[in-house]
């Protein structure tokens, strides 16, 4: 089945960063008043095939606005790896509302999950939040993939490699101040419904991250531990994304 038709959109954040995005109208029986904002993981892009497949499935449940975070792909600026990116989500949510969607769900993967939770806790606009494969806290280095991520962020050669290989431009320097970590932001999300999805085969973040997010959050909240599921977009099956779409629909019924 061909992927759903997406229309390119350029967004502008409150701090003036140009964001490359796409709007996919609802397909089939998708709810015409539901907008779903999709936030990718670190070094990802809405243009990658795995992300486009996710958008295609979610378009069966509403219109979808997918975008590239600052410093990624064709978006402007530099990545702050989860800090100022809440402004990027806010711009996508605004666009979804301007497009006529009255109820907005934000679905984030990995870094995008952390940003989705932080946006929902600190900003307005989301009516439901899904955090897939997300970290609960900053500076986690307990797995080899996360040590490699920190090398890419912190070392000049790593930033060069990320720019050349993944079209990801990373800001130099440490956070100042350190942004609120996702598990603290999760406590502020209610009464917005929060779904936390994590795989027991995630090579980046072990299950204690998902449990820490869930325990910090208040009702309404759900935690799905997915057997055999790896990490973020690349490992997400159409069946899992359909279940996420049905969860969104059930909270908007």
């Amino acid at each position: 089945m061909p992927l759903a038709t997406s229309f390119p959109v350029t967004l502008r954040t409150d701090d003036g960063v140009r964001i490359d995005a796409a709007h996919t109208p609802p397909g089939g029986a998708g709810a015409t008043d539901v907008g779903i904002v999709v936030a990718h993981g670190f070094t990802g892009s809405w243009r990658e095939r795995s992300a486009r497949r996710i958008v295609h499935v979610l378009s069966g449940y509403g219109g979808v606005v997918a975008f590239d975070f600052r410093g990624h792909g064709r978006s402007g600026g530099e990545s702050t790896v989860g800090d100022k990116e809440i402004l990027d989500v806010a711009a996508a949510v605004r666009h979804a509302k301007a497009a006529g969607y009255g109820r907005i769900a934000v679905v984030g993967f990995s870094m995008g999950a952390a940003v989705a939770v932080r946006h929902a806790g600190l900003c307005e606009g989301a009516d439901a939040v899904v955090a897939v494969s997300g970290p609960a806290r900053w500076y986690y280095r307990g797995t080899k993939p996360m040590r490699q991520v920190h090398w890419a962020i912190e070392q000049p050669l790593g930033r060069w490699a990320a720019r050349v290989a993944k079209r990801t431009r990373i800001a130099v320097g440490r956070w100042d101040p350190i942004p609120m970590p996702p598990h603290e932001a999760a406590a502020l999300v209610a009464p917005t419904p929060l779904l936390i999805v994590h795989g027991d085969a995630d090579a980046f973040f072990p299950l204690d991250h998902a449990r820490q997010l869930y325990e910090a959050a208040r009702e309404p909240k759900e935690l799905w531990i997915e057997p055999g599921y790896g990490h973020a977009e690349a490992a997400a099956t159409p069946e899992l994304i359909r279940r996420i779409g049905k969860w969104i629909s059930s909270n908007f019924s």
Side-chain angles (χ1 to χ4, degrees):
M1 181 181 296
L3 296 181
T5 300
S6 299
F7 300 94
V9 176
T10 299
L11 312 178
R12 187 73 61 173
T13 67
D14 285 343
D15 61 344
V17 177
R18 179 184 51 79
I19 298 297
D20 181 56
H23 175 207
T24 304
T32 58
D33 66 333
V34 171
I36 304 172
V37 171
V38 176
H40 63 74
F42 182 58
T43 75
S45 171
W46 73 262
R47 296 176 182 273
E48 292 180 349
R49 187 161 184 83
S50 58
R52 291 173 57 218
R53 285 198 297 265
I54 289 168
V55 168
H56 174 68
V57 174
L58 289 178
S59 69
Y61 302 90
V64 182
V65 176
F67 67 95
D68 280 1
F69 279 116
R70 62 184 62 209
H72 288 70
R74 301 184 186 182
S75 290
E78 295 179 325
S79 175
T80 64
V81 200
D83 181 9
K84 295 181 180 178
E85 281 74 11
I86 61 173
L87 301 177
D88 307 348
V89 169
V93 168
R94 278 198 306 271
H95 182 80
K97 289 182 178 294
Y101 301 115
R103 297 174 290 177
I104 309 296
V106 178
V107 181
F109 295 83
S110 193
M111 182 189 79
V115 177
V117 171
R118 294 188 66 245
H119 171 268
L122 300 173
C123 307
E124 296 180 349
D127 302 299
V129 185
V130 183
V132 184
S133 306
R137 52 196 182 272
W138 306 132
Y139 303 115
Y140 178 74
R141 302 171 187 263
T143 58
K144 182 178 179 181
M146 284 308 299
R147 290 191 289 274
Q148 293 171 333
V149 167
H150 280 90
W151 175 79
I153 295 169
E154 296 169 355
Q155 299 300 319
L157 182 58
R159 291 191 293 272
W160 175 85
R163 184 173 66 251
V164 172
K166 302 296 291 184
R167 297 190 66 188
T168 302
R169 303 167 306 282
I170 304 167
V172 177
R174 295 181 176 273
W175 285 325
D176 185 19
I178 297 174
M180 179 182 288
H183 73 92
E184 291 185 13
L188 306 177
V189 172
T192 300
L194 172 63
L195 170 62
I196 299 162
V197 182
H198 214 95
D200 65 3
D202 193 311
F204 287 76
F205 303 113
L207 289 176
D208 70 280
H209 283 263
R211 294 186 176 115
Q212 186 177 13
L213 287 170
Y214 180 76
E215 290 168 4
R218 293 179 290 137
E219 296 289 352
K221 61 181 181 178
E222 288 189 41
L223 173 62
W224 296 355
I225 302 298
E226 298 297 307
Y229 175 44
H231 185 69
E233 299 101 315
T237 64
E239 190 275 333
L240 174 60
I241 301 304
R242 280 192 290 270
R243 285 172 54 209
I244 290 172
K246 291 175 182 177
W247 180 89
I248 293 170
S249 297
S250 70
N251 279 279
F252 287 164
S253 60

